[in-house]
Amino acid sequence: MLAAACSSPAPEPESTHAAYSLDNPMNVEYLETHLEKQGPRLVLNSERENVLRSKLETDPLVQAYYATLKSDAERILQEPFLEREIYDGTRMLAISQQMVSRLGTLGMVYHLEKDPRLLERIDQELITVSNYEDWNPSHYLDTGEMSLAVSLGLDWAGEDLPASTVELAQTALIEKGLRPSFSGESYTWWIDAIHNWNQVVHGGLVAAAITVAEREPELAANTLSRALDKMGLALAEYGPDGVYPEGATYWDYGTMYSVITSSMLSSAFGTDFGLAEFPGFLESADFRLLAVAPTSEFFNFFDTGSNVRGDNRGVGDHTVAWFNRGVGTVNLAWFAAHTGNSLYFDPSYFEDSRENRRRSRFDGPAMVWLTQYEPVGYRPLPLVWKGDGVNPLVIFRGGDNDPEKNSEQFYLGAKGGRASINHGNMDAGSFVFELDGVRWSVDPGNQSYAPLEQAGFNLWSSAQDSERWLLLTKGNHGHSTLTVNDALHRAGGYSALTDFNDGASGEHPEATFGLTGIFEGQLQSASRRFVKEGSRSLLIEDKIQPFGSTETLTWQMMTTASVEPAEGGAVLKQDGKVLNLDILSPAGVSVSVIPLDPPPMELDKHIEGLKRIEIRVPAAQLEGREGTISVRLSGNG
């Protein structure tokens, strides 16, 4: 058990990067000595190709998936070429991502089939995007993804492309991908970032560097050396337990690029220089699966999107819903290949030949990971889990070892952390809670960026006075947490996981977050404890020591259920199910309901039926100027 909560704010954890970094022997001499002499080099190499071709002869799953790739390649042949378009005034990202899909699919199938129609199309795709005026370096994600796309096309089509196209595309990689990243312009801030931008752009430029290594060895070596120095900044954020601070859908994005970078480095150099073994990285696959609740939805903190598909796949069965998203499923296939853990592998994705199947733009590289997968065992997910780090989480799940009916539908996801993380919200202390197939406590989740940016809204500043925190999706007023004096949380305040018991010795599982840091100047101390009292009961206990200037404490729970205030609490109803909310302390307070449909501001996200349950407690009512707010959420039966 960790140390108990204390009255002073818990310090933010030191970065894992201080104790662990990637190996970096890279220079021109190393590059020329160790780089694979013959192509392909990116994800695929001669050894991996031999395995792939062998399994194409013998493995029905590989055969089925390859048939789908070939069908996708035929579809791409009928599509118009893509024009350079800054579609929202900022991004060309969708164009770059489509190119990753096109050249990854066409390149893989051409490499195996040598179909001249596919070669001609790869040639024309490369000419088209290489002649763009630039790859939008002001939003370098676009440049990074386009660099990967062009590199895959060049590498997998090999020497069969016209020399003029190879020269043109390599020049584009150099002048539109690599050199701008050394310009010192303000748009190169991502080099030292600690989030998905670091992973995506360094990954794309690693591909470009390997592709132009013979032509520009010094530029290539400098790019690779910089990546090996800097990628650890983002990888450190996974430590120590695998929590991806930006949430589950950004795990899909950032981790995909770390996965493909690991795969490219190991195919080109015989090593990924320690990337896959970075502390917390492999464990993050568990985080990604644990973030899927029984309703099929994510524990959707920060800018996490929806996991529910239009066909409602996996609703009520989280073990199916784990694989609802194509990028996430392909990601997990790499983890399955790397670890042998069949928990991470979904054969149905590779069997699915429907034209409208859920796709990943990395389906071409996934062909390699599929053929690398050899199951060696199955390790189930824990029912009680914690992840420490810069955005600590706890997840309590039901399971077969709980005797009560429907116990597997119990789900708590709760968090600490701080707001001023990339894509962060003022949500420390917040939680989502599910029971009986209903999400009772909700998180408002992500919100489309473009309309806010186009309105001139200050979305990306995490300063205390930023407009960002006025949004329902971003500020503490839109989350199931505590609010003091109706004020904002401290954007830079940190909430640590200060106590945890997994219940393995017969106790109730419980976890405590120290909240003092997010209430600096508002409270002397604060902590929130979650206790799974049984398979149908959750206790939330807040211990608070106010200042003399503290006036009001507000306990909040966001919900889309109907709420009927009752003596000592409320009754929530949704989808024919009932949840009881009981106020255990202090005495004499009641529930009020604040409708948020329509939302407070025109720019706020609209969520049908959203409301905020409030329990407002005057600070003077806390006995001895300190006290406890205790609430129990329980299902009937």
Side-chain angles (χ1 to χ4, degrees):
M1 187 175 291
L2 303 177
C6 57
S7 59
S8 60
E12 188 167 347
E14 294 184 5
S15 170
T16 307
H17 188 64
Y20 189 93
S21 59
L22 297 177
D23 297 333
N24 187 4
M26 190 61 63
N27 54 34
V28 172
E29 181 182 3
Y30 183 94
L31 176 67
E32 292 177 341
T33 302
H34 292 87
L35 181 64
E36 185 83 17
K37 301 307 180 188
Q38 301 293 326
R41 295 168 173 158
L42 300 183
V43 182
L44 194 63
N45 59 19
S46 57
E47 180 181 351
R48 293 176 181 179
E49 182 175 340
N50 288 338
V51 174
L52 190 157
R53 289 186 181 277
S54 174
K55 290 200 172 183
L56 267 175
E57 296 293 327
T58 60
D59 190 324
L61 187 60
V62 174
Q63 293 166 349
Y65 184 62
Y66 184 55
T68 299
L69 276 188
K70 290 201 292 184
S71 175
D72 287 347
E74 292 291 335
R75 173 183 49 80
I76 293 169
L77 291 178
Q78 307 305 315
E79 294 178 346
F81 293 102
L82 297 172
E83 297 181 4
R84 181 185 181 278
E85 179 186 3
I86 310 299
Y87 51 87
D88 62 0
T90 300
R91 299 168 182 83
M92 191 186 78
L93 189 58
I95 305 300
S96 298
Q97 291 178 341
Q98 287 183 67
M99 287 309 302
V100 171
S101 178
R102 286 188 179 191
L103 289 173
T105 299
L106 291 169
M108 176 58 70
V109 177
Y110 174 74
H111 189 79
L112 297 173
E113 294 282 319
K114 301 301 183 183
D115 184 334
R117 298 176 306 135
L118 301 185
L119 182 65
E120 181 181 358
R121 181 63 186 229
I122 293 169
D123 181 49
Q124 292 303 310
E125 295 280 6
L126 288 172
I127 290 171
T128 298
V129 299
S130 295
N131 281 322
Y132 286 178
E133 63 184 83
D134 60 34
W135 292 342
N136 199 33
S138 62
H139 193 259
Y140 226 99
L141 286 179
D142 311 6
T143 309
E145 294 225 38
M146 187 64 81
S147 296
L148 174 66
V150 171
S151 298
L152 290 177
L154 282 173
D155 189 69
W156 290 352
E159 297 179 353
D160 298 339
L161 286 163
S164 58
T165 300
V166 173
E167 181 178 4
L168 176 67
Q170 286 189 349
T171 299
L173 286 173
I174 293 164
E175 301 299 336
K176 297 170 183 176
L178 295 172
R179 291 202 192 283
S181 74
F182 289 96
S183 67
E185 297 285 348
S186 60
Y187 55 63
T188 61
W189 60 266
W190 52 267
I191 291 171
D192 293 297
I194 61 173
H195 48 70
N196 70 86
W197 280 67
N198 175 309
Q199 299 166 278
V200 173
V201 184
H202 282 300
L205 298 189
V206 162
I210 293 170
T211 304
V212 303
E214 284 89 356
R215 178 169 165 179
E216 289 280 353
E218 185 173 353
L219 177 61
N222 288 341
T223 301
L224 291 163
S225 180
R226 180 183 62 186
L228 293 173
D229 274 345
K230 299 297 187 179
M231 288 189 297
L233 296 171
L235 293 168
E237 299 297 288
Y238 290 81
D241 302 310
V243 173
Y244 192 74
E246 299 176 86
T249 54
Y250 273 93
W251 180 91
D252 286 355
Y253 189 31
T255 304
M256 182 74 256
Y257 266 86
S258 288
V259 159
I260 203 164
T261 302
S262 171
S263 195
M264 292 188 299
L265 290 172
S266 59
S267 61
F269 294 101
T271 175
D272 72 354
F273 304 96
L275 194 159
E277 306 308 319
F278 213 98
F281 186 71
L282 292 179
E283 291 84 351
S284 74
D286 282 3
F287 155 75
R288 171 59 172 76
L289 298 183
L290 285 161
V292 178
T295 59
S296 172
E297 272 294 9
F298 284 128
F299 175 14
N300 58 327
F301 63 88
F302 286 14
D303 277 345
T304 299
S306 176
N307 189 50
V308 172
R309 292 173 24 172
D311 60 3
N312 287 327
R313 182 181 190 270
V315 172
D317 187 343
H318 63 273
T319 60
V320 173
W322 287 342
F323 303 105
N324 272 6
R325 294 171 57 89
V327 172
T329 303
V330 166
N331 252 347
L332 289 164
W334 178 89
F335 281 86
H338 195 84
T339 65
N341 186 0
S342 61
L343 175 72
Y344 305 141
F345 186 71
D346 176 26
S348 70
Y349 181 82
F350 299 100
E351 294 166 342
D352 191 349
S353 61
R354 294 175 300 164
E355 185 173 337
N356 63 344
R357 70 186 180 91
R358 62 204 186 284
R359 286 183 170 87
S360 164
R361 64 185 176 281
F362 301 96
D363 277 351
M367 183 75 181
V368 179
W369 303 328
L370 170 61
T371 58
Q372 290 178 313
Y373 171 59
E374 296 289 346
V376 296
Y378 178 90
R379 179 181 50 77
L381 291 174
L383 298 179
V384 179
W385 179 87
K386 74 172 178 69
D388 280 303
V390 298
N391 205 8
L393 309 176
V394 295
I395 293 174
F396 296 167
R397 304 186 303 129
D400 293 338
N401 59 342
D402 282 335
E404 285 84 359
K405 184 179 180 182
N406 292 327
S407 63
E408 71 279 359
Q409 294 187 321
F410 182 106
Y411 184 90
L412 169 74
K415 70 181 299 295
R418 59 184 172 91
S420 53
I421 298 174
N422 197 45
H423 294 285
N425 300 330
M426 290 180 171
D427 63 357
S430 72
F431 65 102
V432 300
F433 178 61
E434 294 185 7
L435 192 66
D436 295 331
V438 174
R439 179 160 293 191
W440 300 101
S441 178
V442 306
D443 189 295
N446 69 334
Q447 181 171 358
S448 178
Y449 310 146
L452 297 164
E453 293 169 335
Q454 291 166 358
F457 196 85
N458 188 10
L459 177 63
W460 299 113
S461 169
S462 60
Q464 186 66 39
D465 60 354
S466 173
E467 284 184 309
R468 176 180 181 87
W469 313 124
L470 301 179
L471 292 169
L472 195 66
T473 54
K474 309 304 178 191
N476 47 286
H477 295 88
H479 293 90
S480 299
T481 183
L482 285 174
T483 291
V484 178
N485 297 339
D486 294 319
L488 294 174
H489 288 180
R490 299 303 181 198
Y494 177 68
S495 169
L497 178 61
T498 58
D499 192 63
F500 177 78
N501 187 329
D502 63 7
S505 298
E507 308 92 343
H508 294 305
E510 63 175 77
T512 301
F513 292 93
L515 303 182
T516 304
I518 66 170
F519 294 121
E520 182 181 356
Q522 300 174 5
L523 297 173
Q524 293 187 59
S525 67
S527 65
R528 168 163 281 191
R529 184 169 73 113
F530 296 93
V531 182
K532 184 183 179 185
E533 297 182 306
S535 61
R536 302 185 62 75
S537 179
L538 172 68
L539 174 68
I540 306 164
E541 181 181 76
D542 300 325
K543 291 188 176 180
I544 298 156
Q545 187 175 2
F547 287 117
S549 58
T550 307
E551 297 178 358
T552 305
L553 300 109
T554 305
W555 187 99
Q556 301 169 183
M557 179 171 145
M558 308 295 289
T559 190
T560 54
S562 65
V563 183
E564 301 172 5
E567 184 176 354
V571 177
L572 283 65
K573 296 180 180 179
Q574 188 166 317
D575 298 337
K577 307 295 184 180
V578 176
L579 185 78
N580 299 307
L581 185 156
D582 296 310
I583 305 171
L584 306 184
S585 67
V589 295
S590 58
V591 160
S592 56
V593 181
I594 310 301
L596 296 171
D597 178 10
M601 298 194 309
E602 184 177 351
L603 288 174
D604 273 323
K605 178 181 180 180
H606 175 256
I607 301 173
E608 185 175 356
L610 186 67
K611 53 190 69 71
R612 183 172 61 239
I613 298 174
E614 293 187 348
I615 303 170
R616 298 180 70 86
V617 180
Q621 191 169 338
L622 298 179
E623 184 179 351
R625 299 298 294 168
E626 62 181 5
T628 301
I629 301 175
S630 294
V631 176
R632 174 178 291 125
L633 303 176
S634 59
N636 288 345

